[in-house]
Amino acid sequence: MATIKEVARQAKVSVGTVSNVVSGSAPVSPKLRERVLKAISHLDYQPNHVARSLKVRQTRMLGMVVSDITNPFFPQMVRGAEDAALSHNYLLVTINTDDHLEREKQILSVLRTRRVDGILLVMSPNDGDVTHIRNTIAAGIPVVCLDRLPPSLSVDSVATDNVKGAEMCVRHLISMGHLHIGIITGSVKLQTASDRLKGYENALTEAGVPIDRNLIREGDFRLEAGYRLSKGLLLSAKRPSALFATNALMGLGAVKATEELGLRCPQDVAIAMFDDLPIAEALRPHLTAVAQPAYSIGFQGAELLIGRIEGSVNGKKPITIRLEPELRVRESSLGSASPARLFETGVPAQG
Amino acid sequence: MATIKEVARQAKVSVGTVSNVVSGSAPVSPKLRERVLKAISHLDYQPNHVARSLKVRQTRMLGMVVSDITNPFFPQMVRGAEDAALSHNYLLVTINTDDHLEREKQILSVLRTRRVDGILLVMSPNDGDVTHIRNTIAAGIPVVCLDRLPPSLSVDSVATDNVKGAEMCVRHLISMGHLHIGIITGSVKLQTASDRLKGYENALTEAGVPIDRNLIREGDFRLEAGYRLSKGLLLSAKRPSALFATNALMGLGAVKATEELGLRCPQDVAIAMFDDLPIAEALRPHLTAVAQPAYSIGFQGAELLIGRIEGSVNGKKPITIRLEPELRVRESSLGSASPARLFETGVPAQG
DNA sequence: TTGAAAGCGCTAACAT
DNA sequence: ATGTTAGCGCTTTCAA
């Protein structure tokens, strides 16, 4: 690979002039510019960005730490972040943690050593152990948290209003006549999960329906957990007439469990979930879902981060962006709870 | 951020000694090592990987160029590549092209300027215009092509045996009594697509079924195209009794079209597709699919690439790895073509 | 075993 | 407008 020196020699100019031609940071006479350009194309010269990074002390790289890109919620978010990053000439480096805190710590350390200019972080469940994040910020690397929020940390963040989304969803189920609504949730250590649970409780409470702890089942945000917890609920003495899954994978698990038990959706059990799938409408049952603006979360997160990096956003107070969820009602929740069915399964109509 | 110099000063040793402690590349006496370690933790020193990269002329970064991470086939592949990369201490930088050739060229140029050590590439449709890839390789950056193969380029590659996968799938449909099988395919400019088409034709031919060009519909690998092309086929005079979708998104489009026309799957029209979805078994109808080892493609691709980079793999001849697809038969293809139905739609049983 | 110093390829300050 | 040069933070020879 040719260096700036070789280009300079071939064009019979100084390296400074070549640099000026390449970066346009200072005027160069047409004659010399011509010669430089010719040498560049002749030598197939590509500036060494590593050397530049060392000199100007910025890599124009952003770290993106997600739990698992194979979870269909994240690719959209990553695309949003990538589009914003590239439009500002940053490169996005995405790494998965699988929600392991130790891995997250290690990755943050790698990103520091790599001197990324900033980090977009989807936190792992952490029990308040956030010193690694604090240290990263203290080392001068701005961090913007996406999707999940750190209860005990003052940091910029972009996320959906999860309480509200869950409220909308559960209110809808109640309006369809369901009073016995099971919820399957990921780790309530994640504020995402606890907020959705709170929304569920709010909606029930405002409708005067007492909270039944038996209807609340906690696992992780994977399909398998959704399947297992749903099965537990559907086989319990007081079978719920509706299931609220707190993310898409758990929702699919609920569908699988429902099917496997020979129950019809929505006639026997209604299902609604947090997160919509891009492919949802192509599949049966058409699932009622709370759509999150995943792309926007990524995009706005990256914009905010870049604002911090470049100083256009300043101020000590953390910036909190809450995006609006959208309820998409589809057939999976459209069967109303029928007293007859409730009677059959021995569950008396409540309220 | 502390530098190696500050650590050296604080530990009262030379920078060379600090370097040796950090990298372990030369022995250091316990006494000095101790002092250095203390200074490092005291200053929260993180070596500057950018400076190291400049000096040793390797970034330990791999570029991963995919068409679109929101296509559910790719996240698994990326995970495979990431796992392999991280285990060898490489960082994976993933970028989307949306199958735009111009964008691919631009990204390859960015990756060169960034001095990545190697590139994993899922090519865009290119009409044989591969000089940008050739140039990248000529510049000393090894490239391994994944999933899609360059007909006119001698380069390492890892992909599924697409001909075979399509053959398996179509043979299965034939064995279920289908002789009038429609195929919806992405751009046949991609060898991936043309190979699957070839497999389709092979299976028909070996069964003595003549190829009907009317049953072959070409679009791109997106859901919308799958939907549109399927609708066209299902509304045509000779409605096929089975649909073979050449990727998952097109398959979902086919499901949507089938539903929308009030046709039952598999009773009215059987559906089978290339690519399995991790979430497939949670959804109705359960789709018969040719599963590709996406994770393996990514993993083995990265291993091969790293082998090239580090010289453990050499030899001028390109290495071609073909992985075996696996047919997963599910309910969407289990209805056999009934003569009665064929009669209804005016299609006489053939063969 | 340790220290001193050159140099990776670039930018930017300074001199001309 | 152009050339010269110091220096970004590290690794690695070479000498001691």
Side-chain angles (χ1 to χ4, degrees):
Chain A
M1 291 263 211
T3 70
I4 199 171
K5 232 175 184 166
E6 302 175 56
V7 174
R9 187 156 44 75
Q10 180 148 135
K12 296 188 201 308
V13 297
S14 72
V15 292
T17 299
V18 176
S19 178
N20 287 333
V21 169
V22 170
S23 66
S25 51
V28 175
S29 72
K31 207 177 69 182
L32 292 199
R33 138 170 284 111
E34 173 88 3
R35 296 212 315 256
V36 169
L37 257 19
K38 195 188 292 177
I40 284 175
S41 86
H42 190 252
L43 293 168
D44 192 19
Y45 169 70
Q46 295 264 16
N48 185 329
H49 195 281
V50 175
R52 174 168 220 289
S53 292
L54 179 60
K55 176 65 189 179
V56 305
R57 316 169 108 83
Q58 56 145 298
T59 53
R60 289 219 159 240
M61 278 179 21
L62 263 31
M64 170 104 197
V65 182
V66 302
S67 66
D68 182 10
I69 190 76
T70 64
N71 175 332
F73 172 66
F74 291 109
Q76 292 268 4
M77 209 174 84
V78 170
R79 283 305 302 262
E82 180 178 312
D83 287 353
L86 288 180
S87 78
H88 292 269
N89 275 298
Y90 286 81
L91 203 62
L92 192 72
V93 180
T94 306
I95 318 185
N96 297 279
T97 62
D98 284 322
D99 275 343
H100 294 327
L101 184 58
E102 284 314 309
R103 221 173 129 64
E104 175 177 307
K105 290 180 180 176
Q106 184 189 328
I107 287 169
L108 249 44
S109 165
V110 168
L111 292 177
R112 275 185 66 179
T113 250
R114 292 278 183 168
R115 295 297 190 270
V116 296
D117 295 334
I119 295 174
L120 295 164
L121 172 65
V122 178
M123 291 190 318
S124 304
N126 58 31
D127 280 317
D129 178 4
V130 291
T131 49
H132 59 295
I133 304 176
R134 227 187 286 277
N135 288 344
T136 304
I137 297 171
I141 303 182
V143 172
V144 171
C145 285
L146 301 184
D147 181 43
R148 302 171 183 176
L149 307 182
S152 54
L153 186 66
S154 158
V155 64
D156 293 334
S157 65
V158 182
T160 309
D161 187 334
N162 287 298
V163 177
K164 188 168 179 179
E167 282 171 0
M168 287 160 56
C169 192
V170 175
R171 268 189 214 124
H172 160 71
L173 290 172
I174 293 171
S175 79
M176 296 306 295
H178 298 284
L179 298 169
H180 209 57
I181 303 170
I183 178 173
I184 51 179
T185 175
S187 169
V188 293
K189 283 181 193 171
L190 292 172
Q191 195 177 343
T192 308
S194 65
D195 278 358
R196 291 174 193 173
L197 179 56
K198 192 187 296 170
Y200 163 87
E201 294 174 338
N202 289 354
L204 288 176
T205 302
E206 79 188 15
V209 181
I211 310 292
D212 178 349
R213 310 312 299 181
N214 265 321
L215 289 174
I216 301 174
R217 304 288 168 102
E218 180 185 349
D220 61 39
F221 274 135
R222 295 167 203 255
L223 198 149
E224 199 281 326
Y227 167 74
R228 186 169 33 78
L229 300 180
S230 298
K231 218 161 173 177
L233 276 168
L234 295 173
L235 290 174
S236 67
K238 285 187 167 193
R239 192 176 87 202
S241 68
L243 249 32
F244 173 44
T246 53
N247 85 340
L249 292 177
M250 297 192 94
L252 296 176
V255 171
K256 188 179 166 191
T258 305
E259 248 182 48
E260 207 169 292
L261 295 174
L263 298 169
R264 292 162 306 163
C265 171
Q267 296 93 328
D268 299 320
V269 54
I271 296 179
M273 68 186 190
F274 219 99
D275 290 347
D276 198 16
L277 292 171
I279 59 177
E281 36 166 348
L283 296 152
R284 292 211 153 264
H286 293 306
L287 288 163
T288 292
V290 179
Q292 292 194 68
Y295 182 90
S296 284
I297 293 176
F299 192 91
Q300 295 195 38
E303 288 284 346
L304 174 54
L305 181 60
I306 291 168
R308 287 290 190 190
I309 292 167
E310 301 186 345
S312 62
V313 175
N314 38 41
K316 285 202 63 151
K317 234 182 63 185
I319 291 179
T320 303
I321 300 179
R322 280 306 150 271
L323 300 177
E324 292 296 306
E326 179 197 334
L327 179 64
R328 295 185 184 155
V329 175
R330 301 202 186 92
E331 65 174 280
S332 75
S333 65
L334 287 183
S336 55
S338 89
R341 198 200 60 69
L342 291 174
F343 182 75
E344 272 169 31
T345 59
V347 181
Q350 300 176 41
Chain B
M1 290 260 212
T3 69
I4 198 172
K5 231 175 185 166
E6 303 175 54
V7 174
R9 188 158 43 75
Q10 179 149 135
K12 297 187 200 306
V13 297
S14 72
V15 293
T17 299
V18 176
S19 177
N20 287 332
V21 170
V22 170
S23 67
S25 50
V28 174
S29 71
K31 207 177 69 181
L32 292 198
R33 139 171 283 109
E34 173 87 3
R35 297 212 312 257
V36 169
L37 257 20
K38 195 188 293 178
I40 284 176
S41 85
H42 190 252
L43 292 168
D44 192 19
Y45 170 70
Q46 295 264 18
N48 185 327
H49 195 281
V50 176
R52 173 168 222 289
S53 291
L54 179 61
K55 179 64 191 181
V56 305
R57 314 169 112 82
Q58 56 145 299
T59 54
R60 289 218 159 242
M61 276 178 23
L62 264 31
M64 171 106 197
V65 182
V66 302
S67 66
D68 181 11
I69 190 79
T70 64
N71 176 331
F73 172 65
F74 291 110
Q76 293 267 4
M77 209 175 84
V78 170
R79 283 305 303 260
E82 179 178 312
D83 287 353
L86 288 181
S87 78
H88 292 271
N89 274 298
Y90 286 81
L91 204 62
L92 192 73
V93 180
T94 307
I95 317 186
N96 298 280
T97 62
D98 284 322
D99 275 343
H100 294 328
L101 183 57
E102 284 315 308
R103 221 175 128 63
E104 175 176 307
K105 290 180 181 176
Q106 183 190 328
I107 288 169
L108 249 43
S109 166
V110 168
L111 292 176
R112 275 186 67 180
T113 249
R114 293 276 183 169
R115 295 296 189 270
V116 296
D117 295 334
I119 294 174
L120 295 165
L121 172 64
V122 178
M123 290 190 319
S124 306
N126 58 32
D127 280 317
D129 177 4
V130 291
T131 50
H132 58 296
I133 304 176
R134 228 187 286 275
N135 288 344
T136 304
I137 298 171
I141 303 182
V143 172
V144 171
C145 285
L146 302 184
D147 182 44
R148 302 171 183 177
L149 306 181
S152 55
L153 186 67
S154 158
V155 64
D156 292 335
S157 65
V158 182
T160 309
D161 187 333
N162 287 298
V163 178
K164 189 168 179 179
E167 283 171 0
M168 287 161 57
C169 191
V170 175
R171 268 190 212 121
H172 160 71
L173 290 172
I174 293 171
S175 79
M176 298 306 295
H178 298 283
L179 298 169
H180 207 58
I181 303 171
I183 178 172
I184 51 179
T185 174
S187 169
V188 293
K189 283 181 192 171
L190 291 172
Q191 194 175 344
T192 309
S194 66
D195 277 359
R196 290 173 193 174
L197 179 57
K198 192 186 296 171
Y200 162 88
E201 294 174 338
N202 289 354
L204 289 176
T205 302
E206 79 186 17
V209 180
I211 309 292
D212 179 350
R213 309 313 297 181
N214 265 320
L215 289 174
I216 301 175
R217 304 288 168 103
E218 179 185 349
D220 61 38
F221 274 136
R222 295 168 202 255
L223 199 149
E224 198 281 324
Y227 167 75
R228 186 170 33 80
L229 299 180
S230 298
K231 216 159 175 179
L233 276 168
L234 295 173
L235 290 174
S236 67
K238 285 186 168 194
R239 192 176 87 202
S241 68
L243 249 31
F244 172 44
T246 53
N247 86 340
L249 291 177
M250 297 193 95
L252 296 176
V255 171
K256 189 179 166 191
T258 305
E259 248 183 47
E260 207 168 291
L261 294 175
L263 298 169
R264 292 162 306 162
C265 171
Q267 296 92 329
D268 298 321
V269 54
I271 297 179
M273 67 186 191
F274 219 101
D275 289 349
D276 198 14
L277 293 171
I279 59 176
E281 38 166 345
L283 296 153
R284 291 210 152 265
H286 294 305
L287 288 162
T288 292
V290 179
Q292 292 194 68
Y295 183 91
S296 283
I297 292 176
F299 191 91
Q300 295 195 38
E303 289 283 347
L304 173 54
L305 181 60
I306 291 168
R308 287 290 190 191
I309 291 168
E310 301 186 345
S312 62
V313 176
N314 37 41
K316 285 200 62 146
K317 234 182 62 184
I319 291 179
T320 303
I321 299 179
R322 279 306 150 268
L323 300 176
E324 292 295 306
E326 180 198 333
L327 179 65
R328 296 185 183 154
V329 176
R330 301 202 185 92
E331 65 173 283
S332 74
S333 66
L334 287 183
S336 53
S338 87
R341 200 199 60 67
L342 291 175
F343 182 73
E344 273 166 30
T345 59
V347 182
Q350 300 177 44

